[in-house]
Amino acid sequence: MSRFPAAFGVVALVAAVALSACGDDNAPAAQAPAGDSTTPNAAPATTVAAEPMDARGVIDSLAAAGLPLTSIVEQDENTDPNGKLGRPGGYTSRASADVPEGRKDGEKYGIDRGLVVEVFATPEDAATRSKFIQDALKAAQILGTEYHYQPADKRVLVRLTGAVKPSRAKVYEVAVTSL
């Protein structure tokens, strides 16, 4: 009696069990055939993918939460002050808004006016951008400071001018992390 058929059967069983654990989490759940009495009146399973946040949507959500944001402007490739919109490693959308503590005479799309939201393709790109800005500000302290916040969607970087007092910045932080 050969051991090969028995060993082959064990290997096939282990492979089948292992592969069943590798299913696509986004695949629709298996449905019982019509008329199957085990699932009477069961509605088909559907999955609705959440829309990814864009910069304007983040600012609109923050304004709806009661933050005093005015003069909201979306940037495009012609108005992006950093030239990073749509470029590799850059943001996929960017918008800015004025806050009461911001400089009204500051550059229209810049952080000096108050708040900037940048959305990236990956959380790593957002983290890289935040680190780059914070490192530059530490190296050239004359440039000022910024607060950086991220909502649950770590692809989003919310930048707030350092002109905002820490106690007031906490209100912005709570609103951002509540998104």
Side-chain angles (χ1 to χ4, degrees), residues 41-100:
N41 301 323
T46 59
T47 304
V48 177
E51 285 292 318
M53 281 192 175
D54 69 353
R56 177 63 191 241
V58 171
I59 290 180
D60 288 345
S61 294
L62 294 173
L67 293 181
L69 304 175
T70 59
S71 302
I72 300 167
V73 182
E74 290 179 80
Q75 281 80 68
D76 61 29
E77 63 184 31
N78 297 314
T79 58
D80 175 17
N82 304 306
K84 296 190 176 300
L85 184 62
R87 299 190 191 280
Y91 30 82
T92 59
S93 68
R94 185 180 195 275
S96 56
D98 291 1
V99 301

Side-chain angles (χ1 to χ4, degrees), residues 111 114-116 130 133-134 137 144-150 157-170 172-173 176:
I111 189 67
L115 185 114
V116 172
S130 179
I133 293 169
Q134 293 296 355
L137 292 174
T145 60
E146 291 183 14
Y147 301 94
H148 288 186
Y149 306 116
Q150 290 183 290
L157 175 61
V158 177
R159 302 168 49 202
L160 179 65
T161 178
V164 176
K165 292 180 181 176
S167 58
R168 183 76 181 131
K170 191 70 175 164
Y172 287 86
E173 179 182 18
V176 170

Side-chain angles (χ1 to χ4, degrees), residues 10 24 36 95 154:
V10 170
D24 182 1
D36 184 346
K154 299 293 186 191

Side-chain angles (χ1 to χ4, degrees), residues 31-39:
Q31 297 178 14
D36 184 346
S37 63
T38 59
T39 55

